[in-house]
Amino acid sequence: MGKKKSKQKKVLPYEIGELDQYLFGQGTHYEIYQKMGAHKAVRNGKSGVYFAVWAPHARRVAVVGEFNDWDFEADYMERQEPVGIYTCFVPEAKEGDLYKYCIETKQGKRIFKADPFANYAELRPGTASRITDIHNLKWTDQLWMEGRKTWDNKKSPMSIYEVHPGSWMRHPGREDEGFYTYREFAKAITKYVKEMGYTHVELMGIAEHPFDGSWGYQVTGYYAPTSRYGTPEDFAYMINYLHRNKIGVILDWVPAHFPRDVHGLADFDGTPTFEYADPKKGEHPDWGTKIFDYGKPEVQNFLIANALFWIEHYHVDGLRVDAVASMLYLDYGKQDGQWTANKYGGNENLEAIAFFKHLNSVVLGRNHGCVMIAEESTAWPKVTGTPEEDGLGFSLKWNMGWMHDFTEYMKLDPLFRKNAHHMMTFAMSYAYSENYILVLSHDEVVHLKCSMINKMPGEGFDKFANLKAGYAFMMGHPGKKLLFMGQEFGQLREWSEERELDWFLLSELPHQQLQAWYRDLLHLYKKNRAMYELDTDPEGFEWINANDGFRSIFSFVRHSKDGKKNLLFVCNFTPVERPDYCVGVPRRKQYKLILNSDDIKYGGKGEVRPEIYKAVKKECDGRKYSFAYPLPAYGVAVFEF
């Protein structure tokens, strides 16, 4: 007689089974967050909570919380092999209870850790996790989600408003910090974004973090929307509300590093668990943070599942991946002797490269119409190239080179701009090497760099006129657009997370006029296909005159795909009027003035100008045809033809 088959233990739907452990150990359990953490469950007819945590080098693990008076001997967890996941079912635990894991290290020391997979956390300065149920969120954004599947960022407008929710707007005079809840913020930001004409918001500081001054870039709760602004249900309401109003949502996401806070991921089970064990690979000397170990399948799984968690569970439309360069280079921010070379002797982090290819393939492969955006500050090749062609697989890349050249040029006294003319044209020499977003982000208006308006030379009118010309050039240049909050109306002070924007400035005319200018630029961008549909195609852009350095004037054309509605931009970056200005044009057509910075509503003189200009056969800018237009000081004119 044959041997009896051994009975396999029946695994309940919420429990960690052998397959879960296998996939997690391979780095491919993309829904691991449905099993790990704290989940409401029923066992033998009793309601309770099932806990699961990865602590491979722990001697013992217990779950402690309000349900057992924080007694570390009350609820020890069972170790599941082979990957070292600890689990237990606690019938006394209920939704809303605070909890932590008490981990006994190999040395016998007890450490108390927040749950890496927690979906909700205690409001700082508290550091405990909170049991919550996010399985029954109410979604009413089906139309948006269906349309997202066929959305193509390469052919669509994308103008992003970068926002820190806690300091965008606050309730005045409240005894607490006055934060808007997610629900309040949803309604206020939607109204503003629709009026202005942005297509997306990019939200900073959403994943739970202990220190406000980190702006959310030192995360302890990767799976928890911060409790500063409300509950997970409130967060889902915000996404829903924005989607129903046709506004896309991008989150900042930080897979590069995490803080040393004792309740967080650092030395999680008493050993380097989530980080590299070698301090030369596992620590950022400048930032004082830990670096994820991208060579561990479980760590890769933690991060990739987290990206999918935000996009699939919370319906987020994309992630802006922070500090990509710090992940790609082993010597990033390090001196000689502070870093370890790869197996070939180079400074590339081969494991991080493989991680990005895996991450982007899975996220974008499963979620058509979503975007993965790299904040990558070097000339690393093929950041937006496909993994099949040895690219990293991102959808878009922040154009930090353009941003640097643009801001340095704009800071110059107009008298000296003629010697730096190339700084505004150079980006076109590499504009099609990646799929770019032009960014003027929060990083440019902190740490004594000045707000955008105070980067501008001159006083009063000159500052505002300079910035209006700069914004028009940015909007006309190929690439998606991003502007940090407050810069659209000329915030004077540098940004601080400790206060709301200086909305009171909008009682003053120059700030109203700048806001109106940027609003009308955004609507022009969104309304005209020539501004975006050939962003990644050289056919979409044509210089008329890139070499008028002496007068610091730039003229160029944005072409639509069908050639029916093209736009001619003329931007004057000096305070010198050009009453006899002549511009060469591609065709002998009529040119309709559709945007004029000299309009009185934008702070101009309001001189009456004709709407239609007819090109004549007169050579200018190396073209057969041209027309004359009186170009004001710092004047911008946009013509449709």
Side-chain angles (χ1 to χ4, degrees):
M1 289 179 68
K3 289 182 181 176
K4 284 185 181 177
K5 290 182 180 175
S6 61
K7 281 188 178 179
Q8 281 196 327
K9 182 187 169 189
K10 187 182 176 187
V11 177
L12 294 170
Y14 58 81
E15 290 182 331
I16 298 283
E18 287 180 13
L19 180 60
D20 297 307
Q21 293 185 72
Y22 172 77
L23 292 173
F24 185 57
Q26 295 295 305
T28 56
H29 196 323
Y30 302 130
E31 292 85 27
I32 189 68
Y33 55 84
Q34 294 176 0
K35 299 286 185 90
M36 300 286 274
H39 298 280
K40 286 168 70 177
V42 177
R43 181 179 281 181
N44 300 328
K46 271 194 168 185
S47 295
V49 174
Y50 180 79
F51 296 91
V53 64
W54 180 55
H57 301 108
R59 182 186 288 175
R60 285 197 300 182
V61 180
V63 61
V64 297
E66 292 179 318
F67 43 82
N68 61 14
D69 293 328
W70 304 92
D71 179 1
F72 57 81
E73 291 189 343
D75 290 294
Y76 278 110
M77 303 176 80
E78 184 183 348
R79 184 181 175 98
Q80 309 288 339
E81 298 295 358
V83 292
I85 292 173
Y86 285 80
T87 65
C88 70
F89 176 78
V90 181
E92 296 79 14
K94 62 187 185 304
E95 188 162 6
D97 285 348
L98 295 174
Y99 71 100
K100 279 188 177 180
Y101 296 112
C102 174
I103 295 173
E104 191 177 311
T105 71
K106 282 183 175 176
Q107 292 74 33
K109 183 182 176 186
R110 288 196 185 101
I111 54 178
F112 292 85
K113 292 286 187 179
D115 186 347
F117 283 90
N119 297 135
Y120 194 21
E122 184 180 13
L123 180 63
R124 52 98 179 95
T127 58
S129 302
R130 192 181 292 280
I131 298 168
T132 191
D133 184 0
I134 62 167
H135 293 97
N136 300 304
L137 300 172
K138 294 179 177 68
W139 294 105
T140 54
D141 62 350
Q142 292 84 356
L143 274 177
W144 175 272
M145 294 300 284
E146 200 55 39
R148 186 170 91 174
K149 293 174 184 174
T150 56
W151 188 78
D152 184 351
N153 71 82
K154 288 182 183 176
K155 297 172 184 172
S156 305
M158 205 172 172
S159 50
I160 303 165
Y161 190 42
E162 188 190 23
V163 182
H164 179 265
S167 59
W168 181 69
M169 199 175 276
R170 291 190 182 184
H171 294 290
R174 284 236 303 241
E175 285 185 15
D176 63 9
E177 293 160 300
F179 289 143
Y180 275 32
T181 65
Y182 288 118
R183 291 172 188 260
E184 293 168 333
F185 175 75
K187 290 174 181 174
I189 198 75
T190 295
K191 184 172 183 289
Y192 187 72
V193 161
K194 284 177 83 170
E195 284 172 3
M196 289 298 292
Y198 296 97
T199 63
H200 291 70
V201 291
E202 182 177 307
L203 302 178
M204 295 167 58
I206 293 298
E208 193 57 83
H209 53 285
F211 177 47
D212 289 17
S214 78
W215 310 333
Y217 292 111
Q218 296 198 12
V219 177
T220 49
Y222 276 81
Y223 285 82
T226 179
S227 55
R228 287 166 176 79
Y229 318 126
T231 65
E233 289 79 8
D234 297 332
F235 177 71
Y237 175 94
M238 178 188 72
I239 304 289
N240 238 341
Y241 194 89
L242 286 158
H243 280 174
R244 290 206 317 273
N245 284 279
K246 300 178 181 173
I247 299 164
V249 184
I250 299 162
L251 297 190
D252 268 7
W253 188 59
V254 192
H257 62 133
F258 54 90
R260 296 170 179 267
D261 294 62
V262 291
H263 70 286
L265 298 179
D267 294 312
F268 187 77
D269 62 7
T271 68
T273 309
F274 288 89
E275 67 268 47
Y276 285 108
D278 178 357
K280 290 182 178 180
K281 286 184 80 174
E283 295 180 7
H284 272 303
D286 289 351
W287 300 342
T289 53
K290 299 276 193 175
I291 300 170
F292 282 105
D293 183 347
Y294 309 106
K296 280 185 189 165
E298 298 90 345
V299 173
Q300 282 206 33
N301 203 148
F302 174 80
L303 290 169
I304 294 172
N306 184 240
L308 292 166
F309 168 78
W310 293 112
I311 285 172
E312 295 179 355
H313 194 84
Y314 274 119
H315 294 198
V316 165
D317 303 298
L319 301 174
R320 174 266 193 185
V321 183
D322 181 61
V324 168
S326 75
M327 298 168 67
L328 292 172
Y329 296 97
L330 294 164
D331 58 347
Y332 185 92
K334 298 176 181 178
Q335 307 297 321
D336 287 346
Q338 291 184 324
W339 62 282
T340 303
N342 65 32
K343 62 184 179 183
Y344 303 114
N347 67 343
E348 303 88 359
N349 187 331
L350 306 176
E351 292 157 347
I353 295 166
F355 165 74
F356 280 132
K357 292 177 180 181
H358 185 182
L359 166 76
N360 291 322
S361 297
V362 172
V363 172
L364 299 175
R366 285 170 52 137
N367 298 280
H368 299 293
C370 285
V371 289
M372 294 294 285
I373 303 167
E375 187 232 353
E376 202 286 309
S377 53
T378 74
W380 188 280
K382 297 185 181 179
V383 172
T384 57
T386 64
E388 291 79 9
E389 296 169 341
D390 205 28
L392 297 182
F394 283 96
S395 319
L396 295 152
K397 172 181 168 169
W398 275 22
N399 195 335
M400 312 290 273
W402 174 88
M403 176 274 300
H404 175 268
D405 289 347
F406 174 84
T407 52
E408 289 304 305
Y409 178 89
M410 293 305 301
K411 285 190 277 189
L412 290 171
D413 185 297
L415 182 66
F416 302 114
R417 285 179 177 163
K418 58 179 173 285
N419 300 319
H421 197 73
H422 64 281
M423 295 180 85
M424 294 288 265
T425 59
F426 178 63
M428 281 311 302
S429 69
Y430 62 85
Y432 305 107
S433 60
E434 301 279 7
N435 302 328
Y436 282 116
I437 300 181
L438 307 185
V439 293
L440 295 171
S441 74
H442 67 276
D443 279 325
E444 304 319 306
V445 294
V446 290
H447 304 320
L448 304 180
K449 292 180 187 174
C450 295
S451 63
M452 284 306 298
I453 191 74
N454 277 326
K455 289 186 202 298
M456 301 300 112
E459 298 291 333
F461 169 82
D462 289 273
K463 279 190 178 297
F464 284 92
N466 263 298
L467 192 52
K468 278 180 263 193
Y471 283 164
F473 183 88
M474 173 188 183
M475 205 62 74
H477 194 286
K480 309 305 177 192
K481 325 293 173 192
L482 178 144
L483 188 69
F484 182 57
M485 63 181 196
Q487 311 315 305
E488 75 278 12
F489 64 77
Q491 168 95 7
L492 295 172
R493 293 190 287 180
E494 286 191 344
W495 169 63
S496 167
E497 80 285 349
E498 295 178 351
R499 58 174 184 257
E500 73 167 9
L501 296 180
D502 293 337
W503 294 103
F504 59 84
L505 291 171
L506 283 169
S507 63
E508 299 172 17
L509 203 54
H511 295 276
Q512 292 173 26
Q513 291 161 341
L514 176 62
Q515 186 191 45
W517 175 249
Y518 197 72
R519 179 196 65 218
D520 290 356
L521 280 171
L522 285 169
H523 284 284
L524 176 78
Y525 170 75
K526 205 158 71 165
K527 198 169 70 178
N528 288 271
R529 286 178 291 117
M531 297 278 271
Y532 57 79
E533 69 178 354
L534 292 176
D535 255 346
T536 58
D537 187 334
E539 296 292 314
F541 179 89
E542 179 185 5
W543 283 115
I544 295 297
N545 194 336
N547 302 310
D548 196 351
F550 183 75
R551 297 187 297 181
S552 298
I553 297 172
F554 302 86
S555 52
F556 56 86
V557 169
R558 293 302 304 270
H559 293 285
S560 63
K561 201 169 186 178
D562 60 11
K564 287 181 179 175
K565 275 196 175 180
N566 308 300
L567 298 177
L568 166 67
F569 279 72
V570 180
C571 304
N572 179 7
F573 282 92
T574 70
V576 181
E577 289 184 44
R578 305 288 177 185
D580 56 347
Y581 183 73
C582 183
V583 61
V585 289
R587 296 172 205 158
R588 193 173 191 171
K589 295 278 183 184
Q590 288 191 345
Y591 291 75
K592 181 183 179 184
L593 181 62
I594 59 170
L595 193 67
N596 169 25
S597 64
D598 196 42
D599 195 306
I600 206 155
K601 67 181 174 183
Y602 306 132
K605 291 179 180 175
E607 290 179 10
V608 179
R609 283 179 163 74
E611 189 182 60
I612 303 296
Y613 295 81
K614 290 183 179 177
V616 296
K617 193 169 182 181
K618 181 184 175 186
E619 197 278 332
C620 182
D621 296 325
R623 311 279 175 151
K624 282 185 191 177
Y625 308 110
S626 63
F627 68 86
Y629 173 82
L631 190 61
Y634 300 118
V636 173
V638 182
F639 303 89
E640 187 179 86
F641 66 99

